[in-house]
Amino acid sequence: MSGFHGAKYCWMNGEVKETKDALVSAMEPFHYGIFEGIRAYVEGDILGEGDLNIFRWQAHVDRLRRSAVVCGLGVPYTDEELLEATREIIKLNGYRKTTYIMPRIWPKAEAVRRRGLADDWHVVIPVWEMPTRLEEEAFTRERRYMISSWRRLAPDALPTQAKAWANYANSGLAGREAARLGFDDAIFLDSRGFVSEATGACLMTVRNGKVITPPVTASILESVTRDAFLEFLPEDLGIPVEVKDITRVELYASDEAFACGTGGEVTPITSVDDIRFGDEYPGPITDEIAKHFMKVLGGNVEKRRGWLTPV
Ligand code: PMP
């Protein structure tokens, strides 16, 4: 079995449980929930096997707490308790390759019945092994994206900056449309008509050697990976970055484009609406960024070791 169903153990409400025993009622209001997507990578060579480091643990926990505040939920554990729980569950499952960590919080049915007045939440931390896409074959695979006919949900409709499950109904619609039409994934325009993000990752374009990405106000999730890239591209690689609204035509006219995120890492995009980017695939800047990111994730860039928390 893949995903967290394949993990023998998970952490639930303060205890280690066998995943098969981590059961809740079918009546639980999951749709009010929030979650995080975090990854742990192997020290040294991320394609190998060995001791793991969590990438940007604190930034993810901070976002989890912000999502909780916005969605009227609580996080009834300290950062240290959540970290210890995560470490314990990765070790118990015996994972020594790239691992995905998905803390999730949702109100118990009773809390919702009382309109959120009861502080009673489920906090579950599932983990599972997830191979990196930065491995040669996965990285160089061609990927055709389309502009979705579904707009990215408006920031005054749902909390786009938070990682709320409800937002992913929007991603699900766009993802299914793309699959039905034979594309690999979709890119949303926001409610104003500017480029927003992909269904589960942020978007970065390259034009004349500069990396350009939409602002948080373009209804994107406030991505931890995007934030890291905005810092290390200019500082470590001397690649200029610009955060600005991107029109559909500007996207088409890009030299390169890639999606970035915890799951997506650096995902090169071949074309959007079958308009191809550049002559080379993956583009040279996308390739350079991915190679450096692999070094950062493996702890091989001294300056960026502060982003890694040992399991
Ligand atoms: N946008 C969406 C909709 C996402 O689901 C994700 C993945 N969490 C991202 C962007 C990238 O965010 P991050 O870099 O924090 O994983």
Side-chain angles (χ1 to χ4, degrees):
M1 272 194 284
S2 65
F4 52 79
H5 306 290
K8 185 148 198 288
Y9 300 102
C10 72
W11 189 89
M12 183 175 191
N13 300 330
E15 294 171 49
V16 169
K17 293 237 177 182
E18 281 208 42
T19 307
K20 66 175 177 44
D21 300 326
L23 302 174
V24 292
S25 159
M27 301 302 144
E28 291 285 344
F30 305 104
H31 52 290
Y32 287 116
I34 56 164
F35 68 110
E36 261 311 313
I38 312 172
R39 275 226 211 195
Y41 286 91
V42 176
E43 167 84 28
D45 175 8
I46 68 162
L47 304 179
E49 206 176 315
D51 292 340
L52 300 174
N53 295 311
I54 304 171
F55 181 61
R56 301 206 67 190
W57 165 262
Q58 195 58 49
H60 282 286
V61 171
D62 290 348
R63 186 172 64 188
L64 183 71
R65 291 192 188 278
R66 285 201 305 276
S67 298
V69 168
V70 170
C71 297
L73 304 175
V75 186
Y77 298 96
T78 64
D79 292 6
E80 198 50 39
E81 283 168 334
L82 294 173
L83 177 58
E84 279 317 309
T86 301
R87 284 178 167 143
E88 184 179 10
I89 214 69
I90 290 175
K91 285 181 187 156
L92 271 176
N93 280 300
Y95 292 158
R96 292 178 60 74
K97 288 186 190 169
T98 320
T99 294
Y100 199 76
I101 306 154
M102 190 193 265
R104 21 170 77 195
I105 302 177
W106 71 95
K108 292 184 180 166
E110 182 62 10
V112 170
R113 201 176 64 77
R114 289 201 246 151
R115 292 240 159 193
L117 294 176
D119 289 349
D120 208 0
W121 332 108
H122 287 292
V123 182
V124 180
I125 309 180
V127 297
W128 64 95
E129 278 185 348
M130 185 194 269
T132 167
R133 282 189 191 176
L134 295 168
E135 170 276 320
E136 179 75 16
E137 205 179 300
F139 183 71
T140 55
R141 194 169 75 71
E142 300 243 343
R143 293 181 179 90
R144 292 168 59 235
Y145 279 46
M146 62 175 279
I147 300 283
S148 180
S149 72
W150 293 98
R151 290 294 178 101
R152 171 73 173 158
L153 49 95
D156 57 351
L158 277 164
T160 49
Q161 267 164 272
K163 211 161 164 62
W165 279 120
N167 298 351
Y168 287 82
N170 191 208
S171 297
L173 290 168
R176 274 198 298 283
E177 178 184 52
R180 181 166 53 79
L181 297 175
F183 288 87
D184 293 285
D185 202 356
I187 291 166
F188 285 112
L189 301 183
D190 68 13
S191 53
R192 304 166 306 156
F194 290 102
V195 172
S196 179
E197 61 176 353
T199 58
C202 282
L203 181 75
M204 297 210 163
T205 65
V206 183
R207 201 169 182 189
N208 298 326
K210 188 198 276 180
V211 167
I212 306 169
T213 193
V216 168
T217 44
S219 291
I220 65 169
L221 175 72
E222 210 164 356
S223 154
V224 172
T225 317
R226 172 182 171 281
D227 176 74
F229 283 23
L230 290 177
E231 190 171 325
F232 82 62
L233 297 189
E235 287 183 14
D236 299 8
L237 302 175
I239 298 173
V241 292
E242 189 178 355
V243 175
K244 73 166 200 76
D245 278 321
I246 299 174
T247 65
R248 183 173 188 156
V249 172
E250 280 176 299
L251 170 61
Y252 288 156
S254 301
D255 303 327
E256 302 175 33
F258 59 92
C260 78
T262 301
E265 301 164 314
V266 177
T267 305
I269 300 173
T270 312
S271 59
V272 170
D273 295 340
D274 284 327
I275 298 175
R276 257 189 109 88
F277 299 115
D279 310 323
E280 258 180 82
Y281 183 80
I285 291 190
T286 306
D287 198 48
E288 185 187 352
I289 294 169
K291 291 211 164 80
H292 186 72
F293 192 37
M294 284 178 84
K295 287 190 201 146
V296 169
L297 295 170
N300 301 309
V301 178
E302 199 47 46
K303 187 177 175 189
R304 303 299 174 195
R305 283 207 62 98
W307 279 342
L308 304 178
T309 303
V311 170

